[in-house]
Amino acid sequence: MDYVASCNLPTPWAVFQLHGFVKPDTGKEHVVLTLGDVGDGRPVLARIHSECLTGDGLFSQRCDCGAQLETALKAIAAEGRGALLYLRQEGRGIGLLNKIRAYNLQDQGADTVEANERLGFPADMRRYDLCKPMLDHFGVASLRLMTNNPRKVDQIRATGIEIVERIPLQVNRNPHNEGYLQTKAAKLGHWLKTTLTEPDQ
């Protein structure tokens, strides 16, 4: 992973530093937002977030991605220190247009896993090994990770990054994404409550 450049990024919650990286073998661009001194040796409050144009940029209620992104940035801003890795892995790695095809299948009754598989893809193609060189760039060796995804935790730990705490990030559950979240819990093992009325875990 090659570092490219950095700049200030003012947001409604804080002025972050935005850092650009490129993976030479694929040309895929990824970014990291940091706030405060993340290289001081202490565990860093972090979110590893995969790109979701529909949720992050178009306010879709079919998923919880946009709400997770905003909540994570607010949490980092409130703490005054942290990092958010924004990975260009749209649609759990299948890409934007295939994600739209998958949404069409979901409109016809398929769940998110079934839709990906009908298109010939695994349920989740995302990879997290690319996080290690980006975190190494900032001298970050341990995280307090905001996630509900056990696969993400396992893959990050496998790279040698320590996760000292997992912080649940369940937000914006609504009637439009209820089935999506239930499938995440049932088929992908995500740590999520299973109904709208169940108490938070």
Side-chain angles (χ1 to χ4, degrees), residues 3-9 16-21 32 34 137-138:
Y3 166 74
V4 178
S6 300
C7 66
N8 289 331
L9 185 71
F16 290 85
Q17 284 284 303
L18 178 66
H19 313 272
F21 294 83
V32 179
T34 62
H137 177 83
F138 301 103

Side-chain angles (χ1 to χ4, degrees), residues 13-85:
W13 314 289
V15 179
F16 290 85
Q17 284 284 303
L18 178 66
H19 313 272
F21 294 83
V22 63
K23 200 165 186 296
D25 57 335
T26 64
K28 188 74 79 173
E29 300 161 340
H30 307 275
V31 298
V32 179
L33 284 79
T34 62
L35 185 66
D37 183 4
V38 297
D40 62 4
R42 294 182 294 137
V44 173
L45 178 64
R47 167 74 179 160
I48 296 171
H49 190 91
S50 293
E51 178 181 36
C52 177
L53 174 66
T54 49
D56 299 341
L58 300 177
F59 314 106
S60 171
Q61 298 298 291
R62 296 181 72 132
C63 64
D64 54 350
C65 303
Q68 286 185 319
L69 177 63
E70 181 174 336
T71 301
L73 289 174
K74 286 180 176 178
I76 292 168
E79 184 147 314
R81 176 178 176 272
L84 186 138
L85 284 67

Side-chain angles (χ1 to χ4, degrees), residues 71-147:
T71 301
L73 289 174
K74 286 180 176 178
I76 292 168
E79 184 147 314
R81 176 178 176 272
L84 186 138
L85 284 67
Y86 195 89
L87 309 179
R88 307 296 300 280
Q89 302 190 122
E90 179 75 54
R92 294 183 188 155
I94 67 174
L96 178 60
L97 297 184
N98 282 321
K99 176 173 150 180
I100 294 171
R101 292 184 179 101
Y103 275 176
N104 177 263
L105 292 173
Q106 291 167 40
D107 289 343
Q108 299 172 49
D111 66 33
T112 54
V113 170
E114 292 166 348
N116 275 25
E117 290 174 345
R118 287 184 195 176
L119 292 172
F121 299 108
D124 191 342
M125 293 177 60
R126 291 173 295 179
R127 294 179 52 180
Y128 299 101
D129 53 340
L130 67 164
C131 299
K132 177 72 161 61
M134 290 191 284
L135 292 169
D136 286 348
H137 177 83
F138 301 103
V140 173
S142 60
L143 303 176
R144 297 166 50 227
L145 187 63
M146 294 180 274
T147 187

Side-chain angles (χ1 to χ4, degrees), residues 156-177:
I156 294 297
R157 283 181 170 151
T159 70
I161 297 294
E162 183 183 8
I163 297 177
V164 301
E165 181 184 6
R166 182 192 71 86
I167 300 170
L169 193 61
Q170 184 164 348
V171 289
N172 191 38
R173 193 174 198 118
N174 67 75
H176 300 288
N177 66 21

